[in-house]
Amino acid sequence: MATKIRLQRRGRKDYPFYQIIIADSRAPRDGKFIEKVGSYNPNTNPATITLDFDRALYWMQVGAQPTDTVRNILSAEGVLLKKHLLGGVKKGAFTEADAETKFQAWKETKGKAVDSEKSKNAEAAASAAKARHEAEVAANKAKADLVAQKKAEAAAVQAEASAEVEAPAEPAAEATPEAEA
Protein backbone atom coordinates (compact mmCIF):
# COMPACT_ATOMS: atom_id res chain seq x y z
CA MET A 1 0.00 0.00 0.00
CA ALA A 2 1.42 3.40 -1.00
CA THR A 3 0.90 5.84 1.85
CA LYS A 4 0.88 9.61 1.60
CA ILE A 5 1.22 12.34 4.17
CA ARG A 6 -1.20 14.99 2.98
CA LEU A 7 -3.63 17.70 3.95
CA GLN A 8 -7.33 17.15 4.56
CA ARG A 9 -9.40 20.33 4.20
CA ARG A 10 -11.63 21.47 7.03
CA GLY A 11 -13.22 24.78 7.97
CA ARG A 12 -15.73 26.91 6.16
CA LYS A 13 -15.85 28.69 2.84
CA ASP A 14 -12.97 31.19 2.43
CA TYR A 15 -11.53 30.18 5.82
CA PRO A 16 -9.88 26.78 5.47
CA PHE A 17 -7.70 24.94 7.90
CA TYR A 18 -6.20 21.54 7.34
CA GLN A 19 -5.50 18.29 9.14
CA ILE A 20 -2.19 16.61 8.36
CA ILE A 21 -3.05 12.95 7.82
CA ILE A 22 -1.55 9.66 6.73
CA ALA A 23 -3.71 8.05 4.05
CA ASP A 24 -3.64 5.51 1.27
CA SER A 25 -2.76 7.32 -1.94
CA ARG A 26 -5.91 5.99 -3.59
CA ALA A 27 -8.26 7.38 -0.90
CA PRO A 28 -10.16 10.62 -1.63
CA ARG A 29 -8.83 13.89 -0.19
CA ASP A 30 -11.40 14.19 2.57
CA GLY A 31 -12.08 10.47 2.86
CA LYS A 32 -10.73 7.59 4.91
CA PHE A 33 -7.32 8.04 6.51
CA ILE A 34 -4.99 5.92 8.62
CA GLU A 35 -3.83 8.44 11.22
CA LYS A 36 -4.00 12.15 11.98
CA VAL A 37 -0.58 13.56 12.86
CA GLY A 38 -1.29 17.29 13.09
CA SER A 39 -3.04 20.38 11.81
CA TYR A 40 -2.17 23.45 9.76
CA ASN A 41 -3.96 26.81 9.92
CA PRO A 42 -2.78 29.21 7.20
CA ASN A 43 -5.19 31.94 8.34
CA THR A 44 -2.91 33.18 11.13
CA ASN A 45 0.30 35.13 10.70
CA PRO A 46 2.60 33.21 10.90
CA ALA A 47 0.69 30.03 10.08
CA THR A 48 -0.18 27.84 13.08
CA ILE A 49 1.15 24.30 12.87
CA THR A 50 0.57 21.56 15.43
CA LEU A 51 2.37 18.32 14.72
CA ASP A 52 2.95 15.01 16.47
CA PHE A 53 6.65 15.08 15.67
CA ASP A 54 7.41 11.45 16.60
CA ARG A 55 4.56 9.98 14.55
CA ALA A 56 5.37 12.13 11.53
CA LEU A 57 9.02 11.06 11.77
CA TYR A 58 7.98 7.41 12.08
CA TRP A 59 5.81 7.59 8.96
CA MET A 60 8.61 9.33 7.03
CA GLN A 61 11.02 6.55 8.06
CA VAL A 62 8.68 3.78 6.93
CA GLY A 63 8.32 5.35 3.48
CA ALA A 64 5.23 7.57 3.49
CA GLN A 65 5.54 10.20 0.75
CA PRO A 66 4.55 13.77 1.69
CA THR A 67 2.84 16.09 -0.75
CA ASP A 68 4.66 19.32 -1.65
CA THR A 69 2.88 21.47 0.93
CA VAL A 70 3.27 18.88 3.65
CA ARG A 71 6.96 18.51 2.75
CA ASN A 72 7.37 22.26 3.35
CA ILE A 73 5.53 22.00 6.67
CA LEU A 74 7.60 19.01 7.80
CA SER A 75 10.77 20.78 6.75
CA ALA A 76 9.81 23.89 8.73
CA GLU A 77 9.09 21.74 11.79
CA GLY A 78 12.39 19.83 11.46
CA VAL A 79 11.06 16.35 10.67
CA LEU A 80 13.05 16.09 7.44
CA LEU A 81 16.25 17.29 9.15
CA LYS A 82 15.78 14.76 11.96
CA LYS A 83 15.22 11.98 9.40
CA HIS A 84 18.38 13.06 7.58
CA LEU A 85 20.40 13.11 10.81
CA LEU A 86 19.10 9.68 11.85
CA GLY A 87 20.10 8.37 8.42
CA GLY A 88 23.63 9.67 9.07
CA VAL A 89 23.68 7.89 12.45
CA LYS A 90 22.54 4.66 10.80
CA LYS A 91 25.38 4.92 8.27
CA GLY A 92 27.91 5.69 11.01
CA ALA A 93 28.77 9.22 9.88
CA PHE A 94 28.32 10.53 13.43
CA THR A 95 26.89 9.46 16.77
CA GLU A 96 23.35 9.85 17.96
CA ALA A 97 24.47 12.45 20.53
CA ASP A 98 26.04 14.54 17.74
CA ALA A 99 22.84 14.26 15.72
CA GLU A 100 20.76 15.38 18.72
CA THR A 101 23.14 18.32 19.34
CA LYS A 102 22.87 19.45 15.72
CA PHE A 103 19.09 19.13 15.80
CA GLN A 104 18.76 21.13 19.04
CA ALA A 105 21.02 23.88 17.64
CA TRP A 106 18.85 24.08 14.52
CA LYS A 107 15.67 24.08 16.61
CA GLU A 108 16.97 26.95 18.78
CA THR A 109 17.91 29.00 15.71
CA LYS A 110 14.52 28.32 14.14
CA GLY A 111 12.75 29.29 17.38
CA LYS A 112 14.59 32.62 17.49
CA ALA A 113 13.65 33.33 13.87
CA VAL A 114 9.98 32.59 14.53
CA ASP A 115 9.98 34.72 17.69
CA SER A 116 11.56 37.64 15.85
CA GLU A 117 8.96 37.33 13.08
CA LYS A 118 6.13 37.32 15.63
CA SER A 119 7.56 40.33 17.47
CA LYS A 120 8.05 42.18 14.17
CA ASN A 121 4.41 41.49 13.23
CA ALA A 122 3.21 42.63 16.67
CA GLU A 123 5.33 45.77 16.44
CA ALA A 124 3.98 46.57 12.97
CA ALA A 125 0.41 46.07 14.19
CA ALA A 126 1.03 48.33 17.19
CA SER A 127 2.54 51.09 15.05
CA ALA A 128 -0.36 50.82 12.58
CA ALA A 129 -2.84 51.11 15.45
CA LYS A 130 -0.98 54.14 16.81
CA ALA A 131 -1.00 55.78 13.37
CA ARG A 132 -4.74 55.12 13.02
CA HIS A 133 -5.32 56.61 16.48
CA GLU A 134 -3.28 59.74 15.66
CA ALA A 135 -5.15 60.16 12.37
CA GLU A 136 -8.48 59.80 14.17
CA VAL A 137 -7.45 62.37 16.82
CA ALA A 138 -6.42 64.80 14.06
CA ALA A 139 -9.70 64.23 12.20
CA ASN A 140 -11.70 64.76 15.41
CA LYS A 141 -9.81 67.99 16.14
CA ALA A 142 -10.45 69.26 12.60
CA LYS A 143 -14.12 68.38 12.96
CA ALA A 144 -14.31 70.11 16.36
CA ASP A 145 -12.68 73.24 14.89
CA LEU A 146 -15.18 73.23 12.03
CA VAL A 147 -18.10 72.84 14.45
CA ALA A 148 -16.75 75.65 16.65
CA GLN A 149 -16.36 77.89 13.58
CA LYS A 150 -19.95 77.17 12.50
CA LYS A 151 -21.21 77.88 16.04
CA ALA A 152 -19.28 81.16 16.09
CA GLU A 153 -20.76 82.13 12.71
CA ALA A 154 -24.24 81.21 13.93
CA ALA A 155 -23.72 83.24 17.10
CA ALA A 156 -22.52 86.23 15.02
CA VAL A 157 -25.58 85.98 12.76
CA GLN A 158 -27.80 85.72 15.87
CA ALA A 159 -26.11 88.79 17.41
CA GLU A 160 -26.57 90.77 14.18
CA ALA A 161 -30.22 89.77 14.00
CA SER A 162 -30.86 90.80 17.60
CA ALA A 163 -28.94 94.05 17.04
CA GLU A 164 -31.08 94.84 13.98
CA VAL A 165 -34.25 94.16 15.93
CA GLU A 166 -33.16 96.43 18.81
CA ALA A 167 -31.66 99.22 16.64
CA PRO A 168 -34.82 100.08 14.64
CA ALA A 169 -36.93 99.98 17.80
CA GLU A 170 -34.96 102.81 19.50
CA PRO A 171 -35.19 105.32 16.61
CA ALA A 172 -38.88 104.62 16.39
CA ALA A 173 -39.22 105.29 20.10
CA GLU A 174 -37.37 108.58 19.70
CA ALA A 175 -39.47 109.56 16.71
CA THR A 176 -42.67 109.13 18.67
CA PRO A 177 -41.86 111.80 21.34
CA GLU A 178 -40.82 114.29 18.62
CA ALA A 179 -44.03 113.72 16.78
CA GLU A 180 -46.00 114.57 19.94
CA ALA A 181 -44.09 117.82 20.48
Side-chain angles (χ1 to χ4, degrees), residues 17-36:
F17 68 90
Y18 301 91
Q19 291 181 345
I20 302 170
I21 62 164
I22 312 299
D24 184 356
S25 62
R26 297 169 293 183
R29 179 192 73 183
D30 296 336
K32 186 177 176 182
F33 61 91
I34 299 168
E35 182 178 355
K36 177 185 171 199

Side-chain angles (χ1 to χ4, degrees), residues 5-7 16-21 36-53 56 68-79 106-107 110 114 118:
I5 304 175
R6 63 183 181 201
L7 298 175
F17 68 90
Y18 301 91
Q19 291 181 345
I20 302 170
I21 62 164
K36 177 185 171 199
V37 293
S39 65
Y40 167 62
N41 185 358
N43 301 309
T44 60
N45 189 10
T48 306
I49 300 170
T50 57
L51 185 68
D52 185 349
F53 188 87
D68 293 338
T69 305
V70 174
R71 179 177 300 278
N72 291 337
I73 292 169
L74 295 177
S75 178
E77 292 296 308
V79 174
W106 175 86
K107 194 172 184 180
K110 180 72 173 176
V114 169
K118 284 182 181 180

Side-chain angles (χ1 to χ4, degrees), residues 124-139:
S127 66
K130 185 177 179 183
R132 281 194 313 269
H133 177 68
E134 289 173 355
E136 186 175 344
V137 166

Side-chain angles (χ1 to χ4, degrees), residues 112-160:
K112 286 180 183 177
V114 169
D115 289 343
S116 77
E117 181 70 25
K118 284 182 181 180
S119 66
K120 188 169 75 172
N121 288 344
E123 193 174 296
S127 66
K130 185 177 179 183
R132 281 194 313 269
H133 177 68
E134 289 173 355
E136 186 175 344
V137 166
N140 287 344
K141 186 174 190 246
K143 195 176 224 179
D145 291 343
L146 184 64
V147 168
Q149 183 181 3
K150 284 185 178 182
K151 282 185 179 181
E153 290 174 2
V157 168
Q158 183 72 18
E160 286 180 20

Side-chain angles (χ1 to χ4, degrees), residues 39-104:
S39 65
Y40 167 62
N41 185 358
N43 301 309
T44 60
N45 189 10
T48 306
I49 300 170
T50 57
L51 185 68
D52 185 349
F53 188 87
D54 295 330
R55 291 306 295 169
L57 180 61
Y58 165 78
W59 282 104
M60 286 294 294
Q61 288 176 331
V62 296
Q65 295 297 312
T67 60
D68 293 338
T69 305
V70 174
R71 179 177 300 278
N72 291 337
I73 292 169
L74 295 177
S75 178
E77 292 296 308
V79 174
L80 295 179
L81 177 65
K82 184 75 168 188
K83 179 182 180 232
H84 174 73
L85 292 173
L86 291 177
V89 169
K90 187 183 269 186
K91 292 179 181 178
F94 42 83
T95 65
E96 193 168 333
D98 292 339
E100 191 61 32
T101 304
K102 288 180 181 182
F103 182 72
Q104 291 304 323

